[in-house]
Amino acid sequence: MDLQIWLDGKLVPKKEACISVYDHGLLYGDGIFEGIRQYNGRVFEKEAHLQRLYESAQAIRLTIPYAKEQLARALDETLAANHFRDAYIRLVVTRGVGYLGISPKNCETPSVFIIADTIQMYPHEMYDKGMSIITASTIRNHPNSLSPKVKSLNYLNNILAKWEAIDAGVPEAVMLNHLGYVCECTGDNIFIVKNGQLLTPPEDAGILVGITRQAVLGLAREANIPAFERSLTRFDLYSADECFLTGTGAEVVPVTRIDNRPIGSGVGPLTRQLSEAFHRRVREG
Ligand code: PMP
């Protein structure tokens, strides 16, 4: 059966779910989105995702034409219509249809759509054996330019870094910030373990404040693993005992090689512990 897409208040079959070529989301990347997961019939961190969406909207002066509760219901409706119990959900708000020319003033009504589908970010064996990543020469957007806290439809910054990963034959790339500190990957946040401590770059490094990142920090605290948000350099990555990435699509994925340097000796114990705790949390709530 054709997937049902929620588009501007209605469920429509996938092939009828169309957006105008005059939509500024397409013409200028003017819009925002969320990637959300449903596990075992429950949407993981629904409120946190909606909160981040409305904050992104506020930051780019976009008024979402629905209340948060309405969008929460729309999410559930979309999942139910497609009979999903485990899904990846893409919730998108575009600036809407306007004229040619960047002014958002000409766009009357933002468009909202919700796709529920499935996703597999990385091959299965990488979760067992770990993945290789590189550091990209493309730096993350300067936070005073387009704040990485805004989950905007303009992913060119990340896509340019992703090209570097593709060229190097690896699935992900770490971006540094404008000061040379470790920031995040193209679609994931990054953690290292050093001497029993869990470390991840702070928000003001200029990262998307990942919801999986927050969940993992919470799980570490519950497990009495000392966890800190700390500025990291490439040296810290290279000399880490363990490294892993987090994201809604990626979940918790171990990293065992960075710029061709081995990290630790295979997938580390804290990475395994946190990954297992994460899987328990998303299934059991
Ligand atoms: N950083 C970037 C740039 C991302 O696009 C994402 C989401 N794919 C993340 C981090 C992880 O965020 P979350 O855990 O909320 O999915």
Side-chain angles (χ1 to χ4, degrees):
M1 204 186 79
D2 215 0
L3 275 184
Q4 297 288 304
I5 312 289
W6 194 94
L7 174 60
D8 296 327
K10 282 201 291 279
L11 283 162
V12 294
K14 179 177 165 182
K15 58 180 175 308
E16 289 167 32
C18 298
I19 289 274
S20 165
V21 292
Y22 281 82
D23 192 303
H24 281 207
L26 173 63
L27 287 174
Y28 301 110
D30 187 352
I32 52 171
F33 74 101
E34 280 296 317
I36 308 169
R37 282 292 268 268
Q38 178 204 37
Y39 292 96
N40 205 16
R42 255 181 10 98
V43 176
F44 181 62
E45 294 287 0
K46 188 200 273 181
E47 177 55 35
H49 279 286
L50 288 171
Q51 179 71 21
R52 187 169 68 183
L53 182 80
Y54 279 79
E55 284 175 8
S56 288
Q58 174 93 0
I60 69 160
R61 300 177 61 173
L62 177 67
T63 306
I64 300 176
Y66 301 95
K68 225 195 254 176
E69 301 68 42
Q70 287 175 300
L71 277 195
R73 268 200 303 280
L75 267 181
D76 292 338
E77 268 176 45
T78 313
L79 289 165
N82 293 289
H83 309 290
F84 274 121
R85 288 193 59 76
D86 290 274
Y88 177 84
I89 305 148
R90 181 58 59 90
L91 167 50
V92 182
V93 188
T94 74
R95 186 72 69 179
V97 173
Y99 306 120
L100 298 180
I102 70 165
S103 176
K105 276 296 239 191
N106 300 324
C107 305
E108 261 181 26
T109 322
S111 231
V112 181
F113 58 89
I114 304 171
I115 306 169
D117 208 329
T118 52
I119 197 170
Q120 201 204 330
M121 289 278 284
Y122 304 118
H124 267 306
E125 67 264 19
M126 286 188 184
Y127 289 84
D128 261 0
K129 300 202 167 71
M131 64 158 68
S132 291
I133 63 173
I134 56 156
T135 52
S137 65
T138 305
I139 63 163
R140 191 71 173 103
N141 279 335
H142 193 295
N144 287 338
S145 168
L146 171 60
S147 172
K149 287 185 178 175
V150 176
K151 197 162 170 58
S152 91
L153 287 184
N154 195 320
Y155 255 55
L156 268 180
N157 177 210
N158 311 51
I159 288 163
L160 292 177
K162 188 80 170 185
W163 269 124
E164 295 186 49
I166 293 166
D167 287 345
V170 297
E172 252 298 14
V174 192
M175 287 181 278
L176 307 179
N177 68 12
H178 61 289
L179 299 170
Y181 290 105
V182 175
C183 208
E184 62 178 336
C185 291
T186 69
D188 311 300
N189 292 113
I190 188 164
F191 285 79
I192 61 167
V193 175
K194 185 69 183 174
N195 298 331
Q197 293 187 333
L198 185 66
L199 305 172
T200 194
E203 289 184 22
D204 64 12
I207 59 170
L208 179 78
V209 184
I211 285 160
T212 321
R213 171 187 184 272
Q214 301 308 96
V216 165
L217 283 171
L219 290 168
R221 286 190 193 106
E222 285 171 29
N224 291 320
I225 299 168
F228 304 98
E229 297 176 59
R230 188 168 295 165
S231 295
L232 301 174
T233 63
R234 269 184 295 191
F235 172 83
D236 299 312
L237 298 185
Y238 297 154
S239 59
D241 300 327
E242 301 180 34
C243 177
F244 62 86
L245 312 181
T246 63
T248 296
E251 304 178 304
V252 177
V253 59
V255 171
T256 46
R257 194 168 271 273
I258 305 177
D259 291 336
N260 238 351
R261 293 148 171 91
I263 307 301
S265 41
V267 178
L270 282 186
T271 303
R272 279 204 201 283
Q273 183 184 341
L274 287 165
S275 170
E276 282 162 18
F278 180 75
H279 281 103
R280 271 198 303 278
R281 175 58 47 89
V282 297
R283 304 228 147 249
E284 292 158 13

